[in-house]
Amino acid sequence: MPDATLDEASLSRFLDAFYARVRGDALIGPVFAAAIPDPDWPLHMATIQAFWSSILFKTGRYKGNPFGKHRALGQLQPTHFARWLGLFEETARAHFPRDVAAILIERAHRIGDSLKAGLFFRPGPSGAITGDPFPDAVGG
């Protein structure tokens, strides 16, 4: 049965289920495995919980730099973000009622859009956009 409300406990259950799917995914699982050794997952999950708690409940628990962490990976592509968001949406809809899932999904898209813009959006010398900054995002 889905959690009826969004609080720290239901957020934790959701994030555990979501990242279990992420770690097992053929496309993005290897990216996570390369960046986070198995023994480091409990610490990573605590960081993720603090991040989402700060985003959703304004707790201020997260003090990191998500853009810097993602940029340092050096291998992320728009297809990775599309897959992450797809799994996020599926898991949110399975764990929460429609209105609660919509809140999570909207925030995830905003965060993903911000990260993608910082990682892939490259203006040309005149300030004009060169090429498609998200070539794999259509239909993804």
Side-chain angles (χ1 to χ4, degrees):
M1 172 161 218
D3 284 301
T5 60
L6 181 59
D7 57 20
E8 292 282 355
S10 64
L11 177 63
S12 181
R13 287 188 294 274
F14 162 73
L15 291 171
D16 286 344
F18 169 62
Y19 277 97
R21 292 187 69 190
V22 164
R23 292 180 76 186
D25 186 76
L27 177 64
I28 60 176
V31 175
F32 280 85
I36 307 163
D38 284 343
D40 293 347
W41 267 95
L43 178 59
H44 182 68
M45 289 307 298
T47 301
I48 293 295
Q49 178 77 25
F51 173 81
W52 280 99
S53 176
S54 293
I55 294 293
L56 296 168
F57 310 126
K58 305 199 183 326
T59 61
R61 290 178 27 214
Y62 180 75
K63 305 294 184 205
N65 176 357
F67 178 74
K69 294 286 186 184
H70 289 84
R71 184 178 57 202
L73 295 174
Q75 63 177 324
L76 293 178
Q77 298 297 319
T79 53
H80 295 116
F81 283 92
R83 183 64 183 147
W84 187 95
L85 285 167
L87 291 172
F88 191 96
E89 290 177 14
E90 291 170 11
T91 310
R93 289 185 180 118
H95 280 262
F96 294 103
R98 180 178 292 162
D99 59 330
V100 176
I103 293 167
L104 285 165
I105 291 167
E106 184 272 333
R107 296 286 171 89
H109 275 272
R110 266 202 272 162
I111 292 162
D113 289 346
S114 177
L115 286 170
K116 285 188 298 188
L119 293 171
F120 309 119
F121 193 68
R122 301 285 185 256
S126 67
I129 305 306
T130 58
D132 182 357
F134 307 116
D136 297 317
V138 176

